[in-house]
Amino acid sequence: MANHKSSLKRIRQTASRRLRNRYYAKTARNAVRNLRKMTDKAEAQATLVKVTKMLDKLAAKKTISKNKASNLKSKLQLHINKIGA
């Protein structure tokens, strides 16, 4: 166990951040999953804006990497483009 006050605080901070990151990452995964299930193009495009914003925020906070966010956004846009065709 840690002996310094600063290391004890760091342990507490890490634990709370880990829980927060897990929650937001799981929420984003569910949003991506729901977007992939959509069959209505207009509804999917409206949802894409929200999901894109969510992914960008996660990438900015380094919960997910910026490349993963970019890859997800690209795949989702391709999916939406195929819905109408």
Side-chain angles (χ1 to χ4, degrees), residues 4-74:
H4 296 280
K5 287 176 81 174
S6 61
S7 58
L8 292 171
K9 181 180 177 180
R10 179 62 63 192
I11 290 169
R12 288 195 310 268
Q13 286 177 330
T14 304
S16 62
R17 286 181 184 148
R18 178 177 168 271
L19 288 175
R20 189 179 315 123
N21 288 342
R22 282 180 60 195
Y23 170 76
Y24 285 118
K26 183 67 173 179
T27 304
R29 278 198 303 273
N30 287 335
V32 168
R33 192 174 301 129
N34 291 335
L35 181 59
R36 285 189 177 132
K37 288 181 186 175
M38 290 186 181
T39 54
D40 182 33
K41 188 167 187 166
E43 183 183 356
Q45 283 179 331
T47 308
L48 178 67
V49 175
K50 295 175 186 173
V51 173
T52 300
K53 185 176 180 182
M54 189 183 303
L55 292 172
D56 286 338
K57 281 185 179 181
L58 289 177
K61 293 178 183 179
K62 298 201 173 31
T63 303
I64 61 174
S65 72
K66 64 179 184 177
N67 285 343
K68 181 175 179 70
S70 295
N71 289 337
L72 284 171
K73 292 189 296 185
S74 174

